[in-house]
């Protein structure tokens, strides 16, 4: 996903490493109790890094590593949290968001369900602040595919209308930046 072959191969290595970790973790999760423990830890990590990133946008640096926020169109701050680049946070968030949504939708205890929806909200807000094109495309395509597979046409239509309205409500510098992107 880059003009540089070396960067693309490096990205593929990262994907393979992450997939290997996921497969090893999946091999150890044999009971529902362990699965819930792993998902709860995932939620806690997502909440921590999302809050750290949102603090970075608000104050200019994140609390955990002291990274300065990047610059987005119109002089807005671009969230990277503890990651080296906003797109790296975007990859993390896009990868973890489905697990957070699944936990929010299916948690047995109402308290856990509420906490999971709060994490989904925090992560969604943080993801927006990354101004990461690949992340926007990944979330849009994956949720559209999910909704099509579920035949949730009304929800898909409503989200399309909300997305179009959101594009119209963007500040002018961001709208110009979005229009200039390939």
């Amino acid at each position: 996903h880059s003009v540089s072959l070396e960067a693309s191969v490096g990205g593929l290595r990262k994907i393979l490493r992450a997939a290997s970790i996921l497969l090893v973790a999946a091999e150890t999760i044999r009971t529902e109790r362990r699965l819930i423990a792993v998902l709860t830890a995932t939620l806690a990590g997502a909440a921590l890094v999302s809050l750290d990133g949102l603090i970075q946008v608000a104050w200019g640096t994140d609390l955990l590593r002291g990274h300065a926020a990047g610059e987005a169109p119109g002089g807005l701050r671009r969230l990277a949290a503890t990651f080296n680049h906003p797109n790296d946070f975007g990859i993390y968030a896009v990868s973890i968001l489905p697990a957070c949504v699944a936990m929010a939708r299916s948690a047995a205890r109402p308290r856990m369900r509420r906490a999971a929806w709060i994490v989904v909200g925090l992560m969604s807000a943080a993801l927006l602040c990354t101004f990461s094109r690949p992340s926007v495309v990944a979330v849009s395509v994956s949720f559209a595919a999910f909704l099509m597979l579920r035949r949730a046409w009304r929800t898909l239509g409503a989200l399309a209308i909300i997305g179009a309205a959101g594009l119209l409500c963007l500040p002018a510098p961001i709208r110009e930046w979005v229009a200039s992107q390939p």
Side-chain angles (χ1 to χ4, degrees):
H1 189 77
S2 171
V3 294
S4 164
L5 179 61
E6 184 179 338
S8 294
V9 170
L12 289 173
R13 275 194 217 114
K14 284 182 185 178
I15 291 170
L16 289 173
R17 189 177 325 127
S20 299
I21 291 168
L22 180 67
L23 291 173
V24 167
E27 189 61 30
T28 64
I29 301 171
R30 298 276 183 191
T31 65
E32 185 176 338
R33 184 172 172 214
R34 281 189 182 174
L35 175 63
I36 289 174
V38 167
L39 288 174
T40 302
T42 301
L43 282 172
L48 178 65
V49 76
S50 295
L51 279 171
D52 186 52
L54 293 170
I55 288 169
Q56 181 186 46
V57 168
W59 293 342
T61 59
D62 77 295
L63 293 177
L64 297 176
R65 292 190 63 194
H67 283 165
E71 191 169 314
L76 298 173
R77 291 183 178 147
R78 190 171 182 204
L79 180 145
T82 57
F83 295 87
N84 291 326
H85 191 275
N87 286 348
D88 293 338
F89 176 85
I91 291 168
Y92 166 78
V94 166
S95 302
I96 297 299
L97 190 59
C100 295
V101 170
M103 188 76 162
R105 288 181 46 92
S106 63
R109 294 177 302 176
R111 187 172 167 198
M112 179 58 84
R113 213 173 16 255
R114 278 191 304 275
W117 279 118
I118 289 169
V119 172
V120 168
L122 287 170
M123 184 162 277
S124 298
L127 194 55
L128 287 172
C129 292
T130 64
F131 293 94
S132 171
R133 289 175 297 149
S135 300
V136 170
V137 171
V139 168
S140 301
V141 169
S142 62
F143 274 115
F146 175 74
L147 292 171
M148 283 192 261
L149 289 172
R150 295 199 51 161
R151 298 176 188 221
W153 305 116
R154 288 185 195 143
T155 305
L156 185 61
L159 288 175
I161 290 168
I162 291 168
L167 284 173
L168 294 174
C169 294
L170 288 174
I174 297 172
R175 203 170 38 247
E176 291 168 12
W177 176 76
V178 168
S180 72
Q181 297 303 304

